[in-house]
Amino acid sequence: MTGATDTRRLLDVKGLTIEIDGRNGPAVVVDNIDLHVDRGETLGVVGESGCGKSLTMLSLMRLLPNKIRVTRGEAKFDGRDLQTMSNKELRKVRGGDVGFVFQDPMTSLNPVMRIGDQLIEPLIYHRGMKKPEARKRAADLLRLVGIPGPEERLQAYPHELSGGMRQRVMIAIGLACDPKLLIADEPTTALDVTIQAQIVDLVKELRRKLGMSVVWITHDLALIAGLVDRVAVLYAGTVVEDAPVDELYANPRHPYTQGLLASIPKLSDAPAARLSSIGGTPPEPRRRPPGCPFAPRCPLAMEICRTTVPRLEPVSASGGHRAACFAVEQAREAA
Ligand SMILES: Nc1ncnc2c1ncn2[C@@H]1O[C@H](COP(=O)(O)OP(=O)(O)OP(=O)(O)O)[C@@H](O)[C@H]1O
Ligand SMILES: [Mg+2]
């Protein structure tokens, strides 16, 4: 449908597969994922804990932990292959045109470096700023993410800040170089609800001002409803459904997505209804079933679901809404 010449496409991931080494040999944790983000577009990536959201994004910047590696697939940013570019080229992309907000600020902020230096360094390296200019920009960034007394905070070390403040510093670092693409991994989990909403508004505004693209990873379907254009739903290392956000919320097709949406509490719900959620847990990487990974929890599972992996297929005429589910396919064929 779209090729390397498609200039709308900023990030294009195809067939990405990630394995973890273990005593009993490698186990697949991310299985043949396709994802893409167009220029100026915001993609939400949702799914339960352990479904491979963080590993997928870390792999793009070659930041996977030890013993975890990409075994198949390709990832292109702005037409350039992220897997094969040199380390030097990749360093220019990472933190420059691609900004990151990592899930765990404590492991990604340098504990022995002042906050200010951690903000100033990328501005000097990627954007060629002189130190005084970078310093001013660093303070502006802290102000932008709602950190009081930004000039003094530049002097602080990460451990001197609260978890919420550290998370905001991470967001400031992710945005520092006006990236073309921001990849934010659960960027607001340590923040209270009003601050979360402020950060979402800030990202929306930057997206409008800079034409920035965003990948926003979260458990929280409700939080991203007003932020993202499209959503990819991950389950056990595979994309089970993707669609424009309104379409996904109004007409979820995959039984897993339906379960996820049903578990969002609504103000109008009676207390008992709020407890509806999907029974069971996702499979461990080493215990992936042979067919659809969701089959053991699925109310609609058929014989074929236990033996064959369903492919992500269009469920709408436009092709913009896809699901990987035999039951959905069957219903469509019957209609
Ligand atoms: N360093 C590691 N060593 C071994 N296994 C790991 C490691 N990091 C992740 N995994 C495993 O890989 C799978 C995917 O992990 P990942 O961190 O990508 O999940 P996630 O979707 O980001 O979850 P969460 O929502 O909790 O952040 C999980 O089963 C996890 O246990
Ligand atoms: Mg994660």
Side-chain angles (χ1 to χ4, degrees), residues 23 33 70 92 103 117-118 136 152 217 228 233 331:
R23 247 182 244 144
I33 278 186
V70 172
K92 281 194 197 142
Q103 188 167 10
D117 292 331
Q118 299 192 49
K136 187 176 168 300
E152 299 87 82
I217 301 170
V228 304
V233 180

Side-chain angles (χ1 to χ4, degrees), residues 102 175 203:
F102 293 100
L175 294 170
V203 168

